[in-house]
Amino acid sequence: MAASSNAEQTQLQDMEEEDAGMEERDMESGDEPEEGMREDNSDEEEDDSSEDEKENEAEIQRLEEQLSINAFDYNCHVDLIKLLKQEGELSRLRKARQKMSELFPLTEEIWLDWLKDEIRLTEEEPNREKVYELFEKATKDYICPDIWLEYAQYSIGGMGSPGGMDKVRSIFERAVTAVGLHMTKGQMVWEAYREFENVILSTVQPPPGRIPSREEQDLLKTQLDRIHTLFRRQLAIPLMDMEATYAEYEEWSEHGVAETVVHQYKKALQQLAKCKSLEESLIVAEPPKLAEYQSYIDFELKEGDPARVQIIFERTLAENCLVPDMWAKYTTYLDRQLKIKDLVLSSHERAVRNCPWTMGLWKSYLLALERHGADHHTVSDVFEKALNAGFIQATDYVEIWQAHLDYLRRRVDFSKESSKELEELRGAFSRSLDYMKQDVEERFGESGDPSCIIMQIWARIEALHCKNIQKARELWDSIMTKGNAKYANMWLEYYNLERSYGDPVHCRKALHRAVQCTTDYPEHVSEVLLTFERVEGSLEDWDVAVQKTETRLNRINEQRAKVAEKEANLARQEEEKADQRRKTKVDKKAQRKVQKGSRVGEKRKAEQDDYQDEWNDNSEQEQQPKKHRGNGDQTTEEYMETETGLFGRNARPGYKPPPPGNKRAQQGAAAGEQQSDDKQELRNDNSSVFISNLAYTLKEPEAKLRTQFETCGPIKQVRPVFGNKGTFKGYGYVQFESPVSVPEALKLDRREVEGRPMFVSPCVDKNKNPDFKVNMNTILKIFEKRSHSFHYILRNYYEAQASQAVLKMDGMTIEDNKICVAISNPPRRNMMDKPGSNRPTDMMPRQVFGSRGRGRTQLSLLPRSLHRQSGPGSKVENGTAAEQVPETASTVVNAVGETKPLSNSDFARMLLSK
């Protein structure tokens, strides 16, 4: 057990043993290389080693030079130590570690490395004291169970020396006091302590069969009592795996376990149960675990056991040593609760060594030193270290100087006219002012004390304690010359000083100067002057005060009026600029609106084009758009909208043509088209349906459509169509595994989906269906005679023109084909029903309001001669029952004179039928 630490070797020894072992294995295997080869390899290795040594030495020198410039470079110290250890420079390594330990507390890993190296180098007895000193230094940086365990085990090696046994026990006692409450690591220290005592027990037990002497019996009893006590002390502390310790004690004790021990053990188990969740949270948490540690600290503070509070703080700081707030909480607790001098001062010292940039920790340290009666030299040394700590803001230096000046003031016996302490205090005040002016202002560009707080305190001390009002006035004169004369509160502070320790003459003088100089609250100081003269002054004094205050206030009011006028002018100018910006914005918005209106018809057409184009981008590549020149030289592209698609040119989904003249944009668009064309889908129109009239705001349209149509048969794919910006465009396609599912899907036409009727139509590829194609030029020429302005056939006619078209062209024969002309009557898009309503999905055929909905005139598109009253038993295709239909344009006359409302599906059948 104890010899394990002495047997540990450094990295250099491990490497040497490994190399030696490899050489031995090579010799045993008989694979010894030839002599020439060995020499060549040796030369190469020597060259490589020499190069590495040169590089490492250059890096070592660079790091040492860096530290000579900035000794507080923590990472530079760590890198230098690692490199020196790698090179085996043990002497330089020791010096590097010592320099770093003087400036910073070392981590547990660095200390253990250092200690093991020193143990190896000082194995002889006379040198053990140096290692003891190093261990003492290591235990002061952090409370680490592993370092204490190493310390105790190392001390066992010297138990044979005079007083060695007592030294070992002393170190073990200090170890269990320091880390014995550590819930996860304290157990190993207790067990090592007991094991040591068990070894001693074996040495005092007499051989079997021999009756021990009275002295041997006393030694045996004493040693047994020691082990009993260790078991009892450990079992009274909540530690992990304490059940095994209790079982070991039961087996070891010849007379069983006492009731008091059992009671303490159960109590510790209860405490362990309370803390177990907190310990588990620390195990699973990621560093720095501050939130988990803070919860643990709050728990222990509530429990109120000072020793346990201390150990959890120490555990927290071991992992979060650079968190100033945690050090502040810990030292505050020690100052107010434990108040143990050595513990308090050592903790404060560790705090400032870990976080030297934090002024608050230095200030607390100075107060703790004074509180515990530290000598003046020690306090002064700590203050000087604080000045060199490198605070991050100018005000930190003001506060640390104030703390030190407060300490010096408390040392002075002002009953004596002169003393060494008083002179030291005055010297410190003078030095602080010089320090602020030179060091602080040079570094931060400001003194950190614009209100001259230090000088104010000095003046009050001189006036109150030293009765030296003249010195106080000199100090206040200096304060006012540093830019403070314009502030009313500064003059009133000086006035109060004169009021308390001076005379009325100087009070009046101070107030008169205040009236003349104050710019922030002149009314207030004027009122104070008048009040003073009411109490202290003569009539002449009163008149002078009134005259001065009125003159000053009038001047102030004039200045304020000028400033207000200037500010009003600036505000007016800003408002005019804002109005101009708003006007410009409105004009631009109106201009964009006009431009948008001129393009709206074209945009509407593009949206309709996207329906079929999304499903079959490639099928329309070869078809060129045809042009038609109508009256007024207005050129329009030829389109015929049906339920299943459009005749004419196709564009990729969401495609918007670039503006004319933008050649680069056109090239980019062409490239995009080509890329889209490359992605052909495996499609089957006979197994597909086209879905439209869905809400643009429909969320997860693919999932919604799949849910709607999964009852019709197995679905192969669902393709909702999205725009360039990723918004749903209200339509899409559903392809089934088999064509037998299509009729079932068509029955869902006009089913309500989130408050809107869903249109379901057959999907027809016009390129693969010759019967579906018509001669568009012929149709256009015929309809041109009836209409002088159209954009979409049967879509944007004026009302009279649409009526004439229906009357004169329905039933006309074109190239041996008889055409049927009617007005499209799709259901209304803007439904009043809300999602989830119980209104039946059966709908009346909507009135024809044009592509933009209800027009201004709201006139019927059919003459009265074509209006018919539908019978009560009339039906709508796709299985949707129609309600009683009013006499509107939704009812048209067919060839045999019967009345029937035509849906989008009806038009599709008309176009597809022979």
Side-chain angles (χ1 to χ4, degrees), residues 92-196:
R92 297 169 68 183
L93 176 62
R94 178 181 293 171
K95 292 180 180 179
R97 285 166 168 167
Q98 289 174 348
K99 287 182 179 179
M100 184 177 182
S101 66
E102 292 172 0
L103 298 173
F104 301 101
L106 305 185
T107 63
E108 182 179 10
E109 292 77 14
I110 295 177
W111 269 121
L112 289 175
D113 246 5
W114 189 1
L115 290 166
K116 290 175 182 178
D117 286 347
E118 292 296 335
I119 290 173
R120 181 178 63 84
L121 294 173
T122 57
E123 292 179 350
E124 298 181 2
E125 193 72 25
N127 296 324
R128 295 185 66 87
E129 289 302 322
K130 292 183 179 180
V131 181
Y132 285 139
E133 292 175 3
L134 197 60
F135 268 115
E136 288 294 330
K137 193 173 182 179
T139 57
K140 291 179 181 178
D141 277 353
Y142 303 106
I143 295 183
C144 300
D146 290 333
I147 292 179
W148 275 107
L149 182 61
E150 190 73 25
Y151 189 12
Q153 289 178 338
Y154 176 76
S155 67
I156 293 176
M159 60 184 296
S161 60
M165 188 81 68
D166 293 337
K167 188 175 185 66
V168 174
R169 288 195 174 109
S170 173
I171 293 173
F172 266 119
E173 283 296 326
R174 291 173 57 198
V176 295
T177 302
V179 298
L181 295 178
H182 196 295
M183 191 166 288
T184 57
K185 294 185 177 181
Q187 181 183 8
M188 62 183 184
V189 179
W190 286 102
E191 290 179 351
Y193 195 1
R194 288 203 321 272
E195 187 174 351
F196 164 73

Side-chain angles (χ1 to χ4, degrees), residues 686-870:
N686 295 331
S687 304
S688 305
V689 291
F690 172 68
I691 315 300
S692 61
N693 200 50
L694 299 173
Y696 290 167
T697 58
L698 186 67
K699 295 182 179 179
E700 298 183 358
E702 181 177 352
K704 293 285 179 64
L705 290 175
R706 188 174 295 275
T707 302
Q708 293 289 336
F709 289 94
E710 61 186 1
T711 58
C712 301
I715 296 175
K716 187 173 183 179
Q717 62 172 326
V718 178
R719 289 190 56 192
V721 179
F722 297 90
N724 279 346
K725 296 182 179 180
T727 56
F728 180 49
K729 302 187 70 173
Y731 61 92
Y733 304 85
V734 177
Q735 181 174 342
F736 296 95
E737 296 287 349
S738 173
V740 297
S741 302
V742 173
E744 296 299 321
L746 293 174
K747 293 179 182 180
L748 302 182
D749 183 35
R750 302 170 189 266
R751 169 179 284 188
E752 184 174 337
V753 177
E754 295 192 2
R756 293 175 62 91
M758 174 180 66
F759 299 164
V760 185
S761 307
C763 185
V764 179
D765 185 353
K766 49 187 172 293
N767 290 323
K768 297 180 180 179
N769 195 333
D771 295 335
F772 196 68
K773 296 182 179 180
V774 295
N775 190 329
M776 287 297 298
N777 285 333
T778 304
I779 295 176
L780 287 172
K781 290 178 181 178
I782 296 173
F783 275 84
E784 185 181 17
K785 299 176 182 179
R786 309 297 172 184
S787 172
H788 297 285
S789 176
F790 68 94
H791 212 50
Y792 299 98
I793 296 178
L794 301 182
R795 185 69 183 261
N796 286 342
Y797 276 108
Y798 292 110
E799 298 175 4
Q801 295 168 343
S803 301
Q804 292 177 9
V806 172
L807 287 173
K808 297 183 180 181
M809 285 179 279
D810 185 32
M812 180 182 292
T813 302
I814 300 176
E815 296 183 0
D816 299 329
N817 292 309
K818 186 176 181 180
I819 68 171
C820 181
V821 181
I823 296 176
S824 175
N825 185 34
R828 189 175 315 179
R829 285 183 180 269
N830 296 326
M831 295 204 42
M832 299 302 295
D833 300 63
K834 295 181 179 179
S837 64
N838 295 325
R839 179 176 176 178
T841 58
D842 298 342
M843 298 180 181
M844 296 169 52
R846 70 173 184 181
Q847 298 180 8
V848 179
F849 297 137
S851 62
R852 297 194 183 185
R854 184 182 297 270
R856 292 184 179 179
T857 60
Q858 301 185 14
L859 297 178
S860 172
L861 295 181
L862 288 180
R864 294 182 182 178
S865 59
L866 291 181
H867 284 207
R868 295 290 185 273
Q869 183 74 24
S870 61

Side-chain angles (χ1 to χ4, degrees), residues 265-330:
Y265 167 69
K266 291 181 178 179
K267 188 176 179 180
L269 279 178
Q270 294 175 356
Q271 184 70 18
L272 177 63
K274 293 180 182 179
C275 301
K276 194 170 184 179
S277 61
L278 296 169
E279 291 289 346
E280 290 174 349
S281 67
L282 288 175
I283 294 173
V284 301
E286 295 292 333
K289 309 179 184 179
L290 277 174
E292 290 76 15
Y293 272 121
Q294 187 59 59
S295 298
Y296 210 152
I297 290 171
D298 294 339
F299 168 78
E300 294 295 357
L301 287 172
K302 187 177 180 180
E303 292 291 309
D305 186 344
R308 297 202 59 80
V309 173
Q310 180 191 357
I311 193 64
I312 190 58
F313 264 119
E314 291 289 350
R315 290 177 61 184
T316 306
L317 291 167
E319 295 189 39
N320 300 276
C321 59
L322 301 179
V323 181
D325 289 345
M326 192 59 67
W327 281 108
K329 292 177 182 178
Y330 183 36

